[in-house]
Amino acid sequence: MTAEQLIIAADYWPASTGLYLWHEFTPAQVAADLAAVRASGIGTVRVHLAWDAFMPSDRQVNRYRLRDMETLLDAAREVSLGVIPVLFAQSFGDSVMLPMYAVDRRRPRRGVRVVCDGNVVTGGPRDLYTDPLMLEVATRWIDGMLGAFANHPAIAAWDLGHDPATTIRPRRIAQLAAWTAEMAGRVRAHQDACWLTLGAADVLSARGVRLAAIAPYVDVIAIACSAHQLSSALGEPVTSAGPAVFVAQLAQRLAAHASDADTSAPLLAVVMGIANGDEEAPPAPADSSEALQWDVPLLDPTAAARYSSDLLTRLEEIGTSGIIAGAWTDTGPRTLEAPPCDRAPSMSRWGLVDTQGRRKPITEPWSSAANREPSRRLADPWPASLDVDSYYANLPESVRDLAVAWRRERESNEWS
């Protein structure tokens, strides 16, 4: 894969363990899964490194996890699959995985659950961006990973987080930018590529993140979102790929922070969670007598395939550098017992394949796009000009006004 290619990828976790890949690492299963990903045509996976698994102590990276990471990378290399490891704060639903030393027991945060070894613990996350201990540990972790795996043939890039501000919100805009500059600088010193995956809320709401402040330090800014998140943020149902395209173009503009039309926007990728499958009740954990309900409606298989086809085509047209499926595989009943799926069971149906590894209808457009190996096009930020300070000061009205204008330009009141 060349730097000029559009990356078609998927987030990887096993069907049996989901995000707890590193807590129950099974080399044979991982190798089989990665071979299946590559056989579909998809050439890259993002792999989430759980903080509590890799840095259970503040003193050094766990040597067993380094061994497991080497096993995963060697399995990926064997089938010519690129890997983007994701470090540091990773928000899924309302949950973030952290070791106990990273938890401030006196300061729980409303709407945030801290998970250590699969258990929710009392307290809130310590400040990732300014707390001296957290900065020391983060530096130790990334240096340990780079010392072991920088320039590894299977490493496509390093990602510094996944929607971190949802669970560890920076108090000041400059704090996340300074932290990103420090961590990304260590990656770039090894000539490896560096990403940072933000959340849709960093585009659509006013919190301590500004894309333009981060853009100079990373090679790619990615935006993680789901159709449900976009529906909530925009205040109306999402039935087509239009909202995701709107958010991506707006993110390109916010990252460029330019006042006139140009193509100088930084590279931008989109990570899209698409809950899809038959609308039957999620399987209840073995020790539960209560039937579970989906937290959001699932797209039926045919609609999910159609949505994905439209999404891939239109995000390619606006010059995104990567389009990543929220999960390669669905996850089984065990994952519903632990965060985040205990409160967001729809995440267990983000997969392109089911829990038995069988391809779902949604697989076809992703596989077709990947096998086509499209070239990356020039970025197409929208709108042509934007007063960024005014935009953030007037949220949420400003984003809804822009959404109306975006649709008007396309002569449609719908998200066509």
Side-chain angles (χ1 to χ4, degrees), residues 11-220:
D11 278 7
Y12 169 67
W13 51 63
S16 58
T17 58
L19 288 166
Y20 296 89
L21 157 67
W22 303 103
H23 300 80
E24 298 182 33
F25 190 83
T26 308
Q29 183 63 62
V30 169
D33 287 346
L34 297 184
V37 173
R38 192 68 191 95
S40 75
I42 291 174
T44 307
V45 290
R46 287 174 77 240
V47 178
H48 299 270
L49 312 187
W51 196 319
D52 59 335
F54 276 81
M55 289 292 293
S57 162
D58 62 353
R59 302 173 83 67
Q60 63 184 8
V61 184
N62 186 297
R63 68 179 185 275
Y64 299 110
R65 300 294 79 77
L66 289 174
R67 179 199 63 194
D68 292 342
M69 183 69 179
E70 183 175 18
T71 298
L72 184 147
L73 290 175
D74 287 348
R77 182 184 183 185
E78 188 70 23
V79 294
S80 301
L81 186 70
V83 177
I84 303 174
V86 187
L87 296 87
F88 307 122
Q90 300 162 45
S91 306
F92 288 94
D94 62 355
S95 304
V96 58
M97 291 184 190
L98 293 173
M100 286 305 303
Y101 63 79
V103 182
D104 187 339
R105 290 182 171 272
R106 301 166 299 172
R107 292 187 174 88
R109 297 189 185 178
R110 183 167 26 170
V112 175
R113 292 188 294 169
V114 179
V115 183
C116 183
D117 292 328
N119 299 306
V120 178
V121 298
T122 301
R126 296 177 71 153
D127 191 321
L128 170 64
Y129 317 104
T130 63
D131 184 294
L133 175 61
M134 295 293 277
L135 290 170
E136 179 182 335
V137 172
T139 299
R140 191 167 291 146
W141 185 10
I142 198 166
D143 284 350
M145 299 303 296
L146 292 168
F149 304 115
N151 309 131
H152 189 288
I155 293 288
W158 299 86
D159 197 329
L160 301 179
H162 181 88
D163 189 13
T166 286
T167 52
I168 307 181
R169 180 172 176 170
R171 292 186 174 90
R172 300 284 186 273
I173 293 168
Q175 292 171 353
L176 177 57
W179 179 89
T180 302
E182 175 64 25
M183 298 304 153
R186 292 175 179 273
V187 174
R188 287 175 154 182
H190 290 270
Q191 286 77 54
D192 276 356
C194 186
W195 290 31
L196 175 58
T197 298
L198 303 175
D202 295 318
V203 179
L204 302 174
S205 66
R207 59 188 189 182
V209 179
R210 296 293 183 271
L211 277 66
I214 295 162
Y217 307 114
V218 296
D219 298 288
V220 174

Side-chain angles (χ1 to χ4, degrees), residues 188-266:
R188 287 175 154 182
H190 290 270
Q191 286 77 54
D192 276 356
C194 186
W195 290 31
L196 175 58
T197 298
L198 303 175
D202 295 318
V203 179
L204 302 174
S205 66
R207 59 188 189 182
V209 179
R210 296 293 183 271
L211 277 66
I214 295 162
Y217 307 114
V218 296
D219 298 288
V220 174
I221 292 176
I223 303 296
C225 56
S226 68
H228 174 67
Q229 289 173 317
L230 298 178
S231 176
S232 298
L234 298 170
E236 56 186 291
V238 169
T239 58
S240 76
V245 178
F246 163 70
V247 169
Q249 288 189 286
L250 179 56
Q252 288 174 332
R253 172 53 63 221
L254 292 171
H257 203 162
S259 59
D260 53 4
D262 58 41
T263 55
S264 65

Side-chain angles (χ1 to χ4, degrees), residues 71 104 166 181 183 200-201 307 378 384 391 413 415:
T71 298
D104 187 339
T166 286
M183 298 304 153
Y307 178 92
L378 290 176
Y391 168 78
N413 290 323
W415 288 108

